[in-house]
Amino acid sequence: MWTIRLLAGLLSLISGLALAQGTRPPPAPPPSLPAGLGYVEARTRMLNAGFIPVAYSSGGMAQSQEICAGRMDVCLNFPETEVCAPRGGACRMVFIGPRMTVVEIIASGAGGSDRLRVQGARVVPRGDATRHLEQAGDRLAMEDGEFLL
């Protein structure tokens, strides 16, 4: 009888270890970013929650002009801007946070960059996050081929 319990316990332990090695923790939830929130406040919340901006628009003036479509004020103030539509259209900003969680924020608003308002935010599925992780590159530590944050 004790042999069966011992074997059952060992099997349970082995399967638990195998499962633990093959799974990653779920993405970290971003802070609350309701629609209409000013982007400056949204950015502050992201930074305070341990997320870092992915620098897309800091690659020189030509790259910034291509990314920002005439919204240079946005790119200069928020290098995490991946792309921005002209004349108050939507801009997409990207952050990477705890457990390699990638968050894209869509903000829009005419006028200066201080007038941007959050339209929405989403956690990017891990399979789609590779380009953001590559862009962040040297800002993220790696250990055994895994990004750490």
Side-chain angles (χ1 to χ4, degrees), residues 109-121:
S113 60
D114 59 330
R115 294 190 169 189
L116 288 174
R117 298 277 171 211
V118 171
Q119 301 302 307

Side-chain angles (χ1 to χ4, degrees), residues 35-132:
L37 180 69
Y39 181 71
V40 172
E41 173 62 23
R43 187 178 201 273
T44 299
R45 290 183 186 186
M46 293 295 287
L47 296 173
N48 289 341
F51 287 79
I52 60 171
V54 176
Y56 274 96
S57 58
S58 60
M61 188 61 77
Q63 180 188 9
S64 293
Q65 287 176 344
E66 181 180 311
I67 288 172
C68 292
R71 304 283 312 269
M72 288 306 294
D73 60 317
V74 174
C75 284
L76 292 173
N77 289 310
F78 309 120
E80 65 270 20
T81 305
E82 181 185 19
V83 66
C84 209
R87 294 185 289 277
C91 300
R92 181 172 50 230
M93 286 72 160
V94 182
F95 290 81
I96 297 178
R99 300 193 303 256
M100 299 314 297
T101 303
V102 176
V103 175
E104 294 177 341
I105 300 172
I106 304 299
S108 65
S113 60
D114 59 330
R115 294 190 169 189
L116 288 174
R117 298 277 171 211
V118 171
Q119 301 302 307
R122 75 177 187 117
V123 174
V124 178
R126 288 195 193 259
D128 297 337
T130 304
R131 66 188 167 95
H132 299 308

Side-chain angles (χ1 to χ4, degrees), residues 3 61 70 89 99 111 120 133 139 145:
T3 311
M61 188 61 77
R99 300 193 303 256
L133 296 175
R139 296 192 61 198

